[in-house]
Amino acid sequence: MTTTNSPTRQPLTILLAAPRGFCAGVDRAIQIVETALERFGAPVYVRHEIVHNRFVVESLEAKGAVFVDELTEVPDGRPVVFSAHGVPKSVPQAAEARGLFYLDATCPLVSKVHREAERHHEDGKQIVLIGHAGHPEVIGTMGQLPAGAVVLVETVADVATLEVSDPENLAYATQTTLSVDETTEILAALQARFPAIAGPKKEDICYATTNRQAAVKAIAPKVEALLVLGAPNSSNSKRLVEVAKTHGCPAAQLVQRAADIDWSALAGVARLGITAGASAPEVLVEEVIEAARSRFDVTVEELRTATENIVFKLPRALSVEQEAV
């Protein structure tokens, strides 16, 4: 696809990474909020950002969603949705204690990590979780089990100082949105120090994270600069910037919208890569392309490294007829 704006404008080839943008878990979470609004009417409350993207959050707010930090802010008699990142067990327990109707939008791949951690705990193993402290997904995963049952490591250096109850009775799990390469290094250090450590039957890092990082690895050496559309609190989006920088494109940066781009910094750039984190909608990619077209003589190419066709079902409470709350 080629668009010529003016023969005097600087030529710019935009190389789009594919896959990019929404994953099945994010798409499902947004559908849950939208379907709840249709079914129950506004307001529908959402505990924390449903996904890490302000554009998505503001779009849902415009439809009647109300985002809150804690359940105490949810009035009696209104439905509440838990975010795609997952929540500690104490959250649904608190909702049930109040008689609140809740919908769990936790990504099924995050729920898989929760169930695996529970099974290892039932087998008497302590869980080593590879992830980022303070991230909602990590808080949710650690909150599935009693205090001390899960210990967190963030870096290879953390592995060297890790204290565990029984080195012969460990299992590991990972946050689903980590850097594939960095996690491989941390896991190698864990297995070297604790050879008996057990792992999941299938890798915890989700297909979408893996696919988006692979696409960035493919385009990074082919471009002079790369833009990742995503939020500053989006783990998977930040990892895409890191992957680009370590695989051939040091001039990679995270931007939320076209308005955030310093276009003067792209003067002289002939090939620009663009991708989007798993919680960033395609409309934001299109917005950046249109902004580029107003400044450059743009050619758009796409480099696809995988095709995704995964769809997650909505909760049963929304897929069957329910009486209004």
Side-chain angles (χ1 to χ4, degrees):
M1 177 172 58
T2 303
T3 300
T4 302
N5 294 314
S6 167
T8 62
R9 288 182 173 172
Q10 173 190 326
L12 177 67
T13 297
I14 292 177
L15 189 56
L16 291 176
R20 63 181 177 275
F22 279 0
C23 61
V26 165
D27 197 45
R28 173 181 179 269
I30 293 169
Q31 284 186 56
I32 287 172
V33 179
E34 291 177 334
T35 305
L37 284 164
E38 293 171 3
R39 183 72 57 86
F40 308 117
V44 166
Y45 288 78
V46 185
R47 183 185 179 276
H48 295 178
E49 290 187 339
I50 187 68
V51 296
H52 283 157
N53 189 275
R54 282 308 306 169
F55 181 88
V56 171
V57 168
E58 290 169 3
S59 297
L60 292 173
E61 284 176 333
K63 297 176 181 179
V66 177
F67 291 84
V68 298
D69 291 328
E70 299 299 340
L71 287 183
T72 53
E73 301 172 67
V74 180
D76 293 339
R78 295 310 304 166
V80 61
V81 180
F82 302 150
S83 85
H85 304 103
V87 295
K89 278 191 172 179
S90 58
V91 175
Q93 288 170 353
E96 289 167 4
R98 283 186 54 195
L100 292 176
F101 174 74
Y102 66 86
L103 295 161
D104 189 354
T106 300
C107 173
L109 298 180
V110 174
S111 296
K112 165 187 164 290
V113 176
H114 292 178
R115 302 294 82 77
E116 287 172 345
E118 287 179 323
R119 283 195 292 271
H120 284 307
H121 179 66
E122 289 169 0
D123 290 340
K125 296 183 184 295
Q126 187 176 26
I127 315 301
V128 179
L129 176 63
I130 304 172
H132 295 293
H135 189 277
E137 183 183 330
V138 167
I139 293 170
T141 299
M142 296 184 76
Q144 300 304 304
L145 298 174
V150 183
V151 291
L152 181 68
V153 296
E154 299 186 80
T155 65
V156 170
D158 289 342
V159 176
T161 58
L162 181 64
E163 296 182 3
V164 298
S165 303
D166 181 358
E168 300 300 316
N169 211 16
L170 298 175
Y172 75 86
T174 74
Q175 185 178 332
T176 63
T177 54
L178 299 178
S179 160
V180 174
D181 295 338
E182 185 178 3
T183 303
T184 299
E185 293 176 3
I186 296 172
L187 181 55
L190 273 174
Q191 291 172 328
R193 187 173 173 206
F194 306 109
I197 194 168
K201 292 181 180 178
K202 186 178 180 183
E203 185 181 67
D204 288 339
I205 296 177
C206 83
Y207 78 94
T209 297
T210 302
N211 287 349
R212 279 148 192 72
Q213 289 180 19
V216 166
K217 289 177 184 179
I219 70 168
K222 304 177 186 295
V223 298
E224 298 154 68
L226 188 143
L227 302 176
V228 177
L229 275 294
N233 59 342
S234 166
S235 175
N236 78 87
S237 298
K238 290 193 289 186
R239 301 295 82 76
L240 291 176
V241 175
E242 295 169 359
V243 168
K245 288 181 175 181
T246 56
H247 286 81
C249 187
Q253 61 177 304
L254 183 68
V255 296
Q256 296 193 72
R257 301 289 299 271
D260 301 329
I261 299 170
D262 179 5
W263 293 101
S264 64
L266 297 178
V269 170
R271 292 178 67 81
L272 173 67
I274 296 179
T275 189
S279 50
E282 181 67 10
V283 64
L284 299 185
V285 175
E286 295 168 358
E287 178 185 87
V288 170
I289 293 173
E290 288 306 310
R293 283 178 174 146
S294 70
R295 295 167 172 84
F296 303 96
D297 181 2
V298 172
T299 299
V300 179
E301 301 174 0
E302 184 177 74
L303 195 161
R304 177 169 294 279
T305 55
T307 298
E308 297 175 349
N309 52 18
I310 294 175
V311 177
F312 294 133
K313 294 180 180 180
L314 296 183
R316 187 173 181 275
L318 292 179
S319 59
V320 298
E321 288 301 316
Q322 289 282 114
E323 294 182 5
V325 173

